[in-house]
């Protein structure tokens, strides 16, 4: 990839940013498609987000991703936030336009695409979400908007689950219940079609951890998704597989949230797929 005076700039704002997969993913695609764009990792501390955003405009960036710890704070600098991002309370993709910054959240869309690729249609299904942080909210909101019948949040801290449940019930109109890991969960698991782990339990290097669930709750009726992609197969997914559940990791979501962001920044007419094939 050659950077020159015509190169258009994109990036990701976060702290830490050293381990982000996004620069590699986007730059590889630009190179394969012969696009004159560059995607930069930009380490920005929490207190300097406002200045960084102004700097992006001055430098002519066409868009950025935002990640931890900026996904919520970024909202105050945006002219417009999509309905989905607003419900998720988080923005991960920004397009810089002359009129102002537009915020979107592509995590949910990426998650849904990875489910569809697996042949799973969320419509009218019953889902269990493990955890109640930012990732849980994005997953629960996207599933509710996609027409699931019921969301059940299981979380260590009930109050955090209740905050998400209130949004799902009152703003989207989908039934949402909240439970602890200590509750009797047999019936909930019996009725569920999809279980999604949004906690970081089991992520490298703590590969022996998992949410505190009895593995016999899983069955062949379930698709069990872990948003973790390192390791590729978490302890939770291994145990679910042993109970004959279908399993899926978070790699698809990671890639597809990037694909949706790519499509927001780069006009379709600039993308020439013949270049990928080198013909
Ligand atoms: P993110 O924004 O990436 O989703 P987060 O806000 O830190 O991350 O949320 C992590 C989730 O993992 C939370 O729901 C957390 O439970 P609490 O709400 O009770 O804090 C859950 N989690 C983290 N460590 C846990 C543990 N040891 N046992 C059970 N749940 C845990």
């Amino acid at each position: 990839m050659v950077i020159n005076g015509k190169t258009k700039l994109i990036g990701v704002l976060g702290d830490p940013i050293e381990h982000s997969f996004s620069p590699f993913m986007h730059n590889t695609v630009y190179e394969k498609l012969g696009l004159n764009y560059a995607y930069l990792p930009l380490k920005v501390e929490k207190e300097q987000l406002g200045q960084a955003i102004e700097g992006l405009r001055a430098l002519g960036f066409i868009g950025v991703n935002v990640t931890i710890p900026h996904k919520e704070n970024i909202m105050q600098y945006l002219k417009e936030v999509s309905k989905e991002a607003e419900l998720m309370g988080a923005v991960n993709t920004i397009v810089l336009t002359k009129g102002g910054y537009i915020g979107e959240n592509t995590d949910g869309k990426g998650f849904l695409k990875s489910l569809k690729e697996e042949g799973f249609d969320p419509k009218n299904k019953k889902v269990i979400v493990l955890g109640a942080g930012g990732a849980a909210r994005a997953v629960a909101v996207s599933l509710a908007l996609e027409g699931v019948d019921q969301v059940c949040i299981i979380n260590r801290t009930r109050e955090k689950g209740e905050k998400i449940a209130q949004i799902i019930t009152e703003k989207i109109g989908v039934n949402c219940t909240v439970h602890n890991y200590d509750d009797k969960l047999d019936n909930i698991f019996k009725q569920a079609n999809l279980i999604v782990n949004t906690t970081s339990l089991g992520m490298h290097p703590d590969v022996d951890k998992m949410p505190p669930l009895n593995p016999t709750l899983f069955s062949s009726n379930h698709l069990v998704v872990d948003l973790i992609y390192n390791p590729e197969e978490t302890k939770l997914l291994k145990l679910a597989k042993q109970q004959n559940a279908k399993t899926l990791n978070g790699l698809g979501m990671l890639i597809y949230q990037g694909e949706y962001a790519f499509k927001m920044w780069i006009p379709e007419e600039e993308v020439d797929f013949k270049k990928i094939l080198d013909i």
Side-chain angles (χ1 to χ4, degrees):
M1 187 166 72
V2 178
I3 293 181
N4 57 29
K6 290 184 182 158
T7 305
K8 294 192 179 112
L9 297 176
I10 301 179
V12 52
L13 311 184
D15 184 19
I17 205 67
E18 292 80 2
H19 300 292
S20 171
F21 178 65
S22 295
F24 168 75
M25 178 165 73
H26 286 276
N27 287 319
T28 302
V29 173
Y30 304 159
E31 190 159 0
K32 289 244 183 221
L33 291 171
L35 293 168
N36 195 358
Y37 288 79
Y39 186 108
L40 310 174
L42 301 165
K43 183 172 150 101
V44 174
E45 287 173 16
K46 208 169 180 173
E47 300 70 31
Q48 286 178 327
L49 183 61
Q51 283 165 278
I53 284 286
E54 275 318 301
L56 293 176
R57 185 200 287 288
L59 293 167
F61 272 68
I62 63 159
V64 284
N65 279 134
V66 286
T67 186
I68 292 165
H70 306 307
K71 284 186 173 186
E72 288 103 31
N73 292 341
I74 192 75
M75 299 246 197
Q76 59 185 299
Y77 303 104
L78 307 176
K79 181 186 82 148
E80 213 180 294
V81 174
S82 74
K83 177 186 155 213
E84 220 174 316
E86 183 122 30
L87 288 168
M88 290 174 184
V91 160
N92 81 332
T93 305
I94 297 175
V95 181
L96 300 160
T97 68
K98 285 209 175 77
Y101 307 120
I102 298 169
E104 173 62 277
N105 192 318
T106 66
D107 286 333
K109 286 192 188 75
F111 172 70
L112 292 175
K113 183 162 178 179
S114 76
L115 287 187
K116 289 206 176 118
E117 191 178 50
E118 202 58 25
F120 185 90
D121 178 4
K123 222 169 179 50
N124 301 322
K125 300 289 195 318
K126 292 191 193 313
V127 305
I128 295 174
V129 175
L130 306 175
R137 183 163 162 183
V139 162
V141 164
S142 64
L143 287 168
L145 290 173
E146 198 67 9
V148 294
D149 176 54
Q150 186 184 40
V151 179
C152 169
I153 296 170
I154 303 177
N155 195 46
R156 179 177 59 180
T157 318
R158 192 181 284 270
E159 299 76 52
K160 277 172 80 179
E162 272 157 7
K163 279 197 186 134
I164 299 179
Q166 197 178 358
I167 293 158
I168 302 294
T169 311
E170 290 176 11
K171 299 206 170 149
I172 311 181
V174 169
N175 181 8
C176 186
T177 59
V178 182
H179 303 268
N180 275 139
Y181 292 102
D182 301 331
D183 291 349
K184 202 159 163 31
L185 300 170
D186 299 58
N187 276 336
I188 295 165
F189 272 77
K190 270 199 188 106
Q191 290 176 26
N193 311 97
L194 172 70
I195 296 132
V196 188
N197 175 40
T198 70
T199 76
S200 53
L201 296 165
M203 193 187 289
H204 178 81
D206 296 319
V207 295
D208 291 332
K209 291 191 177 161
M210 64 175 268
L213 288 170
N214 182 346
T216 59
L217 289 167
F218 296 117
S219 77
S220 58
N221 297 328
H222 296 147
L223 170 62
V224 181
V225 183
D226 201 324
L227 299 192
I228 295 169
Y229 51 86
N230 181 17
E232 278 178 29
E233 190 173 59
T234 56
K235 183 176 177 188
L236 180 79
L237 291 190
K238 278 193 189 116
L239 292 173
K241 213 184 234 177
Q242 282 169 17
Q243 302 295 319
N244 300 315
K246 274 185 87 176
T247 60
L248 178 68
N249 69 18
L251 201 55
M253 176 178 178
L254 174 74
I255 290 168
Y256 293 133
Q257 63 75 27
E259 183 189 355
Y260 283 113
F262 175 100
K263 286 179 174 161
M264 288 181 67
W265 298 318
I266 300 180
E268 212 177 327
E269 52 276 15
E270 284 188 33
V271 180
D272 180 359
F273 281 94
K274 279 188 187 154
K275 289 212 170 118
I276 304 184
L277 303 169
D278 221 8
I279 50 176

